[in-house]
Structures are given as C-alpha cells and as structure tokens.
Amino acid sequence: MIVRNFVRISAITVVCLGLAATSFAGTNPLIEPNGLAVDASGNLYVANTGTNSILKFNSNYVQQTGSTITKSITHPTAVSVDPLGNIWVANWATNGGSITEYQGTKQDMTGTITEGVDEPLAIATDGMGDVWVQNSASYVDVYSQPALGASGGPSLQQSFNVTGPLNGIAVQENTVALGTAGLGVVFGPALSTIITGTLNVTYTDEFSTGNQLAAGGKGKFYVADIGGSVAIIAPGANPVAFITLTFTPAGIAVDKVNDRLYVSNFSDNYIQVYSTTTAQLIETIN
C-alpha cells in the first residue's frame, strides 16, 4: 500500500484572476480522442481512448499507421513525449491504472509505473527527466528517472495534495502549471525547487475550470477551459484570450516547431488545429 507523504503547500501567493473540416482519417480513426502531445519534430500523438491506442500523425496531419501503440494501452487519458523522444501514457482504471513508457523510435514498451498510480488523468515530462502525473482529482505525483546507466525504472519521489479538483498539468522551464476547478491555474516551481519542501503558487480565477494545459514555450502556457475557450497565460501575468471553441476541450498540445495548437473534441471525435500566431483555424482532423 502506498502511503502518500503530503507536502503542505506553503508560502502561497494569491493573485486573483480566477472550427471547416478536412478528413485525415487513417487505419485507426479518431474515436474519443483525449490527451495530446507533440514531439520535437512536430509529430502529434493522440491518446485515442475509444480504441485503446496512441495514434501518431506527422506535421502534414497524415496518420503514421505503423507507429500506432496498442501494447498495454487501456483507456488512455493522456500522453507526453520527453526530451529524448520517449512516449509516456497515462492508462486510467477505477482505483488503479498505470503509466507506460515507450521508446519513441521503435514504439516498444520499456517500462511501467504502478507505484502510487490511481486513476491518472494527466501527465507531463520535464527537461530533468521527471515524470509528473495527476492522479485522481487532487494528487500530483512526481517520478524521477534513474541516473544514466543505473537499473530500474522511475521511482516515486514526491507527492502533493493540491486544492482541486485538478484537471491538467504542464511543465516547462522549471515551472509547473496545474489546471483546477474553481481556482483556475496554479503555478509552482518544478522538482528541483519543490524537493526542498517549498511550493509557491499563483492562482488565477478568470477560468471557470482550467481543464487541460500545454507548454507553449518562453514561459507561456495554453489553457483549455471546460467552458469552451483557450487562453494564454504566464506566471504573474494576466491571461490573454486566444480562441473560443464550440465544444468542451479534452486535450491540448502546442507544436512550437510549426506554430500550431491542437485541441481535441472527445465527444465528436475530431481534433482542431489553430495557428498560434493568428489564432485562426487551420484544419480539422477527423
């Protein structure tokens, strides 16, 4: 049994703030697309919940059917690609679940995390090799990769109980952003600072619910609100409106190589692509 070592969130700073379709269907159509991720080459990865698989699309929105991952995938809710190109998947299950890792070039499963995993809903990786997992509605667990050449998989390093419920997580430039219901977005430093026991956070309540988040580069985060919109925010700054959606977003990812934003529609089985420079709809993948 995992005993969570809850860390009290201290030194809190509160700043109150609160699509024409083109079909690109492949062998594995989009069915309940959930979490999204983009790698360093601009390839899109989709947690396709309805088919228990991870789908890959290149930067031309063409599905790479030979790269579909199905091994040990069960009700995937989220996907993340680390700086080495490894693919991490959150597999949801009632009172359980797992985090599976796949070698990016071969799509081979290289490890599984079950320690502390409980209904994972979001996942993010940072530049230090840490894996951030939103477990259930209010837990954030941080797993650290073993040192180069060491044996064993990622181990649970830190566990936080954050006022929630939580709905998403993103990490970049040593900053973590958490989507919460009612509080909007919570910012805090990443593992190298958190491990000392201090977590400074900023709340922004302009969002009814910060549903999912994506790192946008240069300290900016894209936030998909369950009310049907996307905004750009940064720690200490007011949100900047980006787009209004006609659906409830399930997943969001930023392609910093090609200046694109991807937003998934779980219920209607499509993904919309927007320009991050003009906020205009580019394509709809379905």
Side-chain angles (χ1 to χ4, degrees), residues 103-270:
Q103 186 175 339
T105 56
K106 296 182 180 179
Q107 309 293 327
D108 293 333
M109 189 174 72
T110 54
T112 302
I113 302 173
T114 56
E115 179 188 12
V117 178
D118 182 17
E119 301 179 5
L121 296 173
I123 188 170
T125 52
D126 64 26
M128 297 180 291
D130 306 313
V131 182
W132 294 71
V133 180
Q134 176 203 328
N135 280 306
S136 188
S138 58
Y139 302 122
V140 175
D141 291 324
V142 186
Y143 299 84
S144 182
Q145 293 273 42
L148 185 64
S151 60
S155 57
L156 180 60
Q157 296 295 310
Q158 196 76 295
S159 184
F160 299 94
N161 185 3
V162 183
T163 301
L166 296 173
N167 296 282
I169 186 169
V171 183
Q172 70 171 331
E173 300 173 8
N174 207 34
T175 297
V176 59
L178 308 173
T180 71
L183 294 176
V185 177
V186 177
F187 290 112
L191 181 60
S192 60
T193 302
I194 289 178
I195 204 69
T196 66
T198 301
L199 178 58
N200 297 300
V201 301
T202 300
Y203 296 112
T204 160
D205 64 7
E206 183 159 318
F207 306 97
S208 59
T209 303
N211 190 38
Q212 292 293 340
L213 300 100
K218 299 180 180 179
K220 296 179 180 179
F221 293 87
Y222 286 74
V223 183
D225 187 85
I226 200 169
S229 64
V230 175
I232 306 173
I233 57 174
N238 292 326
V240 177
F242 187 65
I243 55 173
T244 299
L245 304 169
T246 58
F247 58 90
T248 298
I252 184 172
V254 175
D255 176 1
K256 294 184 283 290
V257 175
N258 298 298
D259 298 320
R260 296 171 183 165
L261 173 73
Y262 294 92
V263 186
S264 62
N265 184 329
F266 182 90
S267 300
D268 294 326
N269 305 317
Y270 63 78

